Amino acid sequence: MKILFVNEIREADAYTILHEPIDSIDLMERASSAFVSWFKENYLVGNYKVKIFCGLGDNGGDGLAIARMLHPLGYDLEVFVVKFSKKISENFDQNLYRLEKQIPVKIIDNESFIVNFEKKDVIIDALLGSGLSRSLEGLLKSVVEKLNESEVPIISVDIPSGLFANKSNNLSDTIIKATHTVSFQIPKLAFMLPQNAEFVGDWHIVDIGLNEDFIEKVTAKFFYSTPLEVEKLIKPRKKFSHKGTFGHALLVSGSYGMMGAAILSARACMRSGVGKLTVHSIPSGLAIMQMLLPEAMYWETASGESDLFISTQYNIENIANKFQAVGIGPGLGVNIKIKESIEQLCELCAELSIPMVIDADALNNLSMDENRESLSKIPKNSILTPHPKEFQNLLNKSWKDDYEKLELLTQFAVNQGVIVCLKGANTAIALPDGTIHFNSSGNAGMAKAGSGDVLTGMILALLAQGYSPKEAAILGVYQHGLAGDKAAQNRGMNNMIASDIIENIRF
Ligand SMILES: NC(=O)C1=CN([C@@H]2O[C@H](COP(=O)(O)OP(=O)(O)OC[C@H]3O[C@@H](n4cnc5c(N)ncnc54)[C@H](OP(=O)(O)O)[C@@H]3O)[C@@H](O)[C@H]2O)[C@H](O)CC1
Ligand SMILES: [K+]
């Protein structure tokens, strides 16, 4: 699903009005009705007193239309119009006229207004939508402050009032802190970013029938991967296939005291459809791996050192025509010799065109040089799976906010020609073509040791089966989140561990 900028949403709006054709006021009617469908399912009539706060633009117009639609359903309603300006939109004006025939509207025009909130209340925030042009001040600011202090649920129409849809707010800005945001058809970039989580709450998209041909034609930079879109990527297992059909993966992982990372990654790989897996690690890891994961083969390092991962065995004979994909990183440790091993393997994979997924300590090793020279060894189209700190190490710099982070992410993916899965809520997958795809699954219970190792194994399995790097990244990240969601359902977010994610992989 495309994430569009405000000007593009406005164009989609105008195109729909012209080509459907539909009057602007009727499109607003459709949007408001879509909001009401969501609202009446989630806030049952009789259980709540609804207080609707409307601005003077089209977002306010939505609020008035919503009030008119909720009234006949039996909701206990109070409607407030906040007069912060002399400018009102035509659709607002018309909806005010329509509503006032049904119920009275209360005007708030100075900062000394008083609204008392009760436990049964729910607020609908229709003060400002995507037309926000500057930070809130004066009357609007003080209304939003009072709503945020009310301690009752706030449901924002389209976007929390005061939040910019596709650029950063100032840290000091006053913004509605919504419990839910019900947005019209197209998700906003702001919803994807951790810095806005406290304002957006849980967000939902409702369809308002904007012209699909128009949306299809817009060249988007940002995408939100919906479950339906991602599940289409899954390739069915054919009846006459054999283990060779599903590839042989090589996982380079583990060191003394870190064999757990290798086990998690290897088990997740085997649970994700791969035909065969070989784990390359230290001699002392052999017994552990063979006992805990008998399905995997083991190739021990010949360095003679049992505690550090150091391999000098990467050559054409050992790798070519043997492995369809290589995963490297979990639990390797950081050290100049490990770095040399990793670089060697990267160079060989580049030469042999073997797809790679590179994670954790492999990334930390490649970030060791002052001038990040090692990054040039990473084969094009490799998948890198850093968490934010590891990504900062790769860049050798930090960012001032999430928007700058996205810019740096795009630049890195384009310049290096790699795919970067920047892990977190809504993991951002940056492709070498300059697009970013946000993931839709996952939960805070996955923010624990071992979760990343599981992801590496899953992506490795997909690469070995012949999924393209783009497919492997998008599908792997999504299925990892989905397995985490099932684990959270079974065990609870606090109590689940990375092994529970593996036990819930199913696709
Ligand atoms: N396609 C759709 O998704 C549809 C969306 N709809 C709804 O329409 C709004 C967008 O409506 P719009 O009228 O463009 O914008 P707003 O309602 O947000 O308000 C704009 C007015 O508010 C003024 N403004 C902006 N920021 C401030 C501020 N900080 N302080 C005071 N006043 C402000 C602005 O004035 P300017 O000076 O900037 O011109 C405007 O007067 C969308 O979010 C949906 O809710 C349709 O209902 C259906 C289709
Ligand atoms: K709003």
Short mmCIF file of all heavy atoms in Angstrom, two decimals, residues 111-147:
data_model
loop_
_atom_site.label_atom_id
_atom_site.label_comp_id
_atom_site.label_asym_id
_atom_site.label_seq_id
_atom_site.Cartn_x
_atom_site.Cartn_y
_atom_site.Cartn_z
N GLU A 111 -10.03 31.30 25.53
CA GLU A 111 -9.27 30.29 26.27
C GLU A 111 -9.82 29.99 27.65
O GLU A 111 -9.37 29.07 28.33
CB GLU A 111 -7.80 30.71 26.35
CG GLU A 111 -7.14 30.61 24.99
CD GLU A 111 -5.68 31.00 25.00
OE1 GLU A 111 -4.98 30.66 25.96
OE2 GLU A 111 -5.25 31.67 24.04
N SER A 112 -10.79 30.78 28.11
CA SER A 112 -11.31 30.52 29.45
C SER A 112 -12.50 29.54 29.44
O SER A 112 -13.19 29.40 30.43
CB SER A 112 -11.72 31.84 30.11
OG SER A 112 -12.64 32.49 29.27
N PHE A 113 -12.70 28.87 28.32
CA PHE A 113 -13.83 27.92 28.23
C PHE A 113 -13.65 26.77 29.24
O PHE A 113 -12.53 26.42 29.61
CB PHE A 113 -13.94 27.35 26.81
CG PHE A 113 -12.86 26.35 26.49
CD1 PHE A 113 -13.09 25.00 26.60
CD2 PHE A 113 -11.60 26.77 26.10
CE1 PHE A 113 -12.10 24.07 26.32
CE2 PHE A 113 -10.60 25.85 25.82
CZ PHE A 113 -10.84 24.51 25.93
N ILE A 114 -14.78 26.20 29.62
CA ILE A 114 -14.72 25.06 30.55
C ILE A 114 -15.51 23.90 29.94
O ILE A 114 -16.67 24.05 29.56
CB ILE A 114 -15.32 25.42 31.93
CG1 ILE A 114 -14.46 26.50 32.59
CG2 ILE A 114 -15.40 24.19 32.83
CD1 ILE A 114 -15.08 27.10 33.83
N VAL A 115 -14.86 22.75 29.84
CA VAL A 115 -15.58 21.52 29.48
C VAL A 115 -15.25 20.52 30.56
O VAL A 115 -14.08 20.29 30.87
CB VAL A 115 -15.12 20.97 28.10
CG1 VAL A 115 -15.88 19.70 27.75
CG2 VAL A 115 -15.29 22.00 27.00
N ASN A 116 -16.29 19.94 31.16
CA ASN A 116 -16.03 18.91 32.17
C ASN A 116 -16.08 17.53 31.54
O ASN A 116 -17.01 17.21 30.81
CB ASN A 116 -17.07 19.01 33.30
CG ASN A 116 -16.90 20.30 34.07
OD1 ASN A 116 -15.77 20.69 34.40
ND2 ASN A 116 -18.00 20.98 34.32
N PHE A 117 -15.08 16.74 31.84
CA PHE A 117 -15.05 15.39 31.28
C PHE A 117 -15.43 14.37 32.34
O PHE A 117 -15.08 14.51 33.52
CB PHE A 117 -13.65 15.09 30.73
CG PHE A 117 -13.31 15.95 29.54
CD1 PHE A 117 -12.52 17.09 29.69
CD2 PHE A 117 -13.80 15.64 28.28
CE1 PHE A 117 -12.21 17.89 28.61
CE2 PHE A 117 -13.49 16.43 27.19
CZ PHE A 117 -12.70 17.57 27.35
N GLU A 118 -16.14 13.32 31.90
CA GLU A 118 -16.52 12.24 32.81
C GLU A 118 -15.88 10.95 32.33
O GLU A 118 -15.47 10.85 31.18
CB GLU A 118 -18.04 12.03 32.77
CG GLU A 118 -18.88 13.22 33.10
CD GLU A 118 -20.35 12.96 32.74
OE1 GLU A 118 -20.82 11.83 32.94
OE2 GLU A 118 -20.98 13.89 32.21
N LYS A 119 -15.91 9.95 33.20
CA LYS A 119 -15.30 8.65 32.88
C LYS A 119 -15.88 8.03 31.61
O LYS A 119 -15.18 7.36 30.86
CB LYS A 119 -15.54 7.68 34.04
CG LYS A 119 -14.37 7.57 34.98
CD LYS A 119 -14.41 6.24 35.70
CE LYS A 119 -13.04 5.99 36.32
NZ LYS A 119 -13.14 5.61 37.69
N LYS A 120 -17.19 8.25 31.39
CA LYS A 120 -17.87 7.61 30.25
C LYS A 120 -17.58 8.31 28.92
O LYS A 120 -18.02 7.86 27.87
CB LYS A 120 -19.39 7.70 30.47
CG LYS A 120 -19.99 6.49 31.16
CD LYS A 120 -21.50 6.62 31.23
CE LYS A 120 -22.18 5.80 30.16
NZ LYS A 120 -23.63 5.87 30.20
N ASP A 121 -16.85 9.43 28.96
CA ASP A 121 -16.67 10.22 27.74
C ASP A 121 -15.70 9.58 26.76
O ASP A 121 -14.76 8.88 27.14
CB ASP A 121 -16.11 11.61 28.09
CG ASP A 121 -17.18 12.52 28.66
OD1 ASP A 121 -18.37 12.19 28.53
OD2 ASP A 121 -16.82 13.58 29.23
N VAL A 122 -15.94 9.87 25.49
CA VAL A 122 -14.93 9.62 24.46
C VAL A 122 -14.90 10.88 23.59
O VAL A 122 -15.95 11.45 23.29
CB VAL A 122 -15.21 8.33 23.67
CG1 VAL A 122 -16.60 8.29 23.05
CG2 VAL A 122 -14.19 8.12 22.56
N ILE A 123 -13.68 11.30 23.25
CA ILE A 123 -13.52 12.53 22.46
C ILE A 123 -13.28 12.17 21.00
O ILE A 123 -12.49 11.27 20.70
CB ILE A 123 -12.31 13.35 22.98
CG1 ILE A 123 -12.61 13.89 24.38
CG2 ILE A 123 -11.95 14.48 22.01
CD1 ILE A 123 -11.40 14.48 25.07
N ILE A 124 -13.95 12.85 20.09
CA ILE A 124 -13.59 12.75 18.67
C ILE A 124 -12.88 14.05 18.30
O ILE A 124 -13.42 15.14 18.46
CB ILE A 124 -14.84 12.51 17.78
CG1 ILE A 124 -15.43 11.12 18.12
CG2 ILE A 124 -14.46 12.58 16.30
CD1 ILE A 124 -16.67 10.75 17.31
N ASP A 125 -11.65 13.89 17.83
CA ASP A 125 -10.80 15.04 17.51
C ASP A 125 -10.89 15.35 16.01
O ASP A 125 -10.29 14.64 15.19
CB ASP A 125 -9.36 14.72 17.93
CG ASP A 125 -8.33 15.47 17.10
OD1 ASP A 125 -8.56 16.66 16.80
OD2 ASP A 125 -7.28 14.86 16.75
N ALA A 126 -11.65 16.39 15.67
CA ALA A 126 -11.75 16.83 14.27
C ALA A 126 -11.36 18.31 14.19
O ALA A 126 -12.00 19.10 13.51
CB ALA A 126 -13.17 16.60 13.76
N LEU A 127 -10.30 18.67 14.90
CA LEU A 127 -9.89 20.08 14.93
C LEU A 127 -9.12 20.45 13.67
O LEU A 127 -9.47 21.40 12.98
CB LEU A 127 -9.02 20.33 16.17
CG LEU A 127 -9.77 20.27 17.51
CD1 LEU A 127 -8.79 20.23 18.66
CD2 LEU A 127 -10.71 21.47 17.65
N LEU A 128 -8.08 19.70 13.40
CA LEU A 128 -7.28 19.96 12.20
C LEU A 128 -6.86 18.63 11.60
O LEU A 128 -6.57 17.67 12.33
CB LEU A 128 -6.02 20.75 12.56
CG LEU A 128 -6.17 22.26 12.76
CD1 LEU A 128 -4.88 22.82 13.33
CD2 LEU A 128 -6.51 22.97 11.45
N GLY A 129 -6.79 18.58 10.28
CA GLY A 129 -6.38 17.35 9.61
C GLY A 129 -5.10 17.56 8.85
O GLY A 129 -4.15 18.17 9.35
N SER A 130 -5.11 17.10 7.62
CA SER A 130 -3.89 17.17 6.81
C SER A 130 -3.60 18.60 6.35
O SER A 130 -2.55 18.84 5.75
CB SER A 130 -4.02 16.23 5.62
OG SER A 130 -5.21 16.52 4.91
N GLY A 131 -4.49 19.53 6.62
CA GLY A 131 -4.27 20.92 6.22
C GLY A 131 -3.42 21.71 7.22
O GLY A 131 -3.21 22.92 7.03
N LEU A 132 -2.92 21.06 8.25
CA LEU A 132 -2.08 21.76 9.24
C LEU A 132 -0.92 22.48 8.53
O LEU A 132 -0.20 21.86 7.77
CB LEU A 132 -1.52 20.74 10.24
CG LEU A 132 -0.63 21.31 11.33
CD1 LEU A 132 -1.45 21.98 12.41
CD2 LEU A 132 0.25 20.22 11.94
N SER A 133 -0.78 23.78 8.80
CA SER A 133 0.29 24.50 8.12
C SER A 133 1.34 25.06 9.06
O SER A 133 2.39 25.52 8.62
CB SER A 133 -0.31 25.65 7.28
OG SER A 133 -1.04 26.51 8.12
N ARG A 134 1.04 25.04 10.36
CA ARG A 134 2.02 25.56 11.34
C ARG A 134 1.69 24.98 12.71
O ARG A 134 0.60 24.40 12.90
CB ARG A 134 1.99 27.09 11.36
CG ARG A 134 0.58 27.66 11.61
CD ARG A 134 0.49 29.14 11.16
NE ARG A 134 -0.86 29.66 11.34
CZ ARG A 134 -1.85 29.50 10.47
NH1 ARG A 134 -1.69 28.79 9.37
NH2 ARG A 134 -3.04 30.03 10.71
N SER A 135 2.61 25.18 13.64
CA SER A 135 2.41 24.65 14.99
C SER A 135 1.20 25.33 15.64
O SER A 135 0.88 26.46 15.31
CB SER A 135 3.64 24.90 15.86
OG SER A 135 4.77 24.34 15.24
N LEU A 136 0.55 24.60 16.56
CA LEU A 136 -0.64 25.16 17.21
C LEU A 136 -0.25 26.26 18.20
O LEU A 136 0.74 26.16 18.89
CB LEU A 136 -1.40 24.06 17.95
CG LEU A 136 -1.84 22.85 17.13
CD1 LEU A 136 -2.76 21.96 17.97
CD2 LEU A 136 -2.53 23.27 15.84
N GLU A 137 -1.11 27.29 18.21
CA GLU A 137 -0.90 28.40 19.14
C GLU A 137 -2.25 28.84 19.70
O GLU A 137 -3.29 28.45 19.18
CB GLU A 137 -0.28 29.59 18.42
CG GLU A 137 1.22 29.44 18.20
CD GLU A 137 1.80 30.56 17.35
OE1 GLU A 137 1.04 31.48 17.00
OE2 GLU A 137 2.99 30.50 17.06
N GLY A 138 -2.21 29.69 20.70
CA GLY A 138 -3.41 30.36 21.20
C GLY A 138 -4.54 29.41 21.56
O GLY A 138 -4.32 28.40 22.25
N LEU A 139 -5.72 29.71 21.04
CA LEU A 139 -6.92 28.96 21.40
C LEU A 139 -6.80 27.46 21.06
O LEU A 139 -7.09 26.60 21.89
CB LEU A 139 -8.14 29.58 20.69
CG LEU A 139 -9.49 28.94 20.99
CD1 LEU A 139 -9.81 28.97 22.48
CD2 LEU A 139 -10.62 29.64 20.21
N LEU A 140 -6.34 27.18 19.83
CA LEU A 140 -6.22 25.76 19.42
C LEU A 140 -5.29 25.00 20.36
O LEU A 140 -5.58 23.88 20.78
CB LEU A 140 -5.66 25.69 18.00
CG LEU A 140 -6.66 25.61 16.87
CD1 LEU A 140 -5.97 25.71 15.53
CD2 LEU A 140 -7.45 24.30 16.94
N LYS A 141 -4.18 25.64 20.69
CA LYS A 141 -3.19 25.00 21.57
C LYS A 141 -3.81 24.72 22.93
O LYS A 141 -3.67 23.60 23.46
CB LYS A 141 -1.99 25.95 21.71
CG LYS A 141 -0.85 25.43 22.56
CD LYS A 141 0.29 26.45 22.48
CE LYS A 141 1.23 26.40 23.65
NZ LYS A 141 2.22 25.36 23.58
N SER A 142 -4.56 25.68 23.45
CA SER A 142 -5.09 25.45 24.80
C SER A 142 -6.24 24.42 24.78
O SER A 142 -6.40 23.66 25.72
CB SER A 142 -5.49 26.77 25.48
OG SER A 142 -6.69 27.24 24.97
N VAL A 143 -6.99 24.36 23.67
CA VAL A 143 -8.02 23.30 23.58
C VAL A 143 -7.34 21.93 23.55
O VAL A 143 -7.73 21.02 24.29
CB VAL A 143 -8.91 23.48 22.30
CG1 VAL A 143 -9.82 22.28 22.10
CG2 VAL A 143 -9.74 24.75 22.41
N VAL A 144 -6.32 21.79 22.72
CA VAL A 144 -5.63 20.49 22.61
C VAL A 144 -5.02 20.10 23.97
O VAL A 144 -5.11 18.95 24.39
CB VAL A 144 -4.57 20.52 21.48
CG1 VAL A 144 -3.67 19.30 21.54
CG2 VAL A 144 -5.27 20.60 20.12
N GLU A 145 -4.44 21.07 24.66
CA GLU A 145 -3.87 20.77 25.99
C GLU A 145 -4.96 20.23 26.92
O GLU A 145 -4.76 19.26 27.62
CB GLU A 145 -3.24 22.03 26.59
CG GLU A 145 -1.84 22.27 26.04
CD GLU A 145 -1.28 23.67 26.36
OE1 GLU A 145 -2.00 24.49 26.97
OE2 GLU A 145 -0.14 23.91 25.97
N LYS A 146 -6.13 20.88 26.88
CA LYS A 146 -7.22 20.43 27.77
C LYS A 146 -7.70 19.03 27.39
O LYS A 146 -7.99 18.22 28.26
CB LYS A 146 -8.39 21.42 27.73
CG LYS A 146 -8.08 22.63 28.57
CD LYS A 146 -9.28 23.41 29.00
CE LYS A 146 -8.79 24.61 29.82
NZ LYS A 146 -9.41 25.86 29.56
N LEU A 147 -7.80 18.77 26.10
CA LEU A 147 -8.24 17.43 25.67
C LEU A 147 -7.22 16.37 26.12
O LEU A 147 -7.59 15.30 26.60
CB LEU A 147 -8.43 17.37 24.16
CG LEU A 147 -9.47 18.32 23.54
CD1 LEU A 147 -9.73 17.97 22.08
CD2 LEU A 147 -10.79 18.32 24.30
#
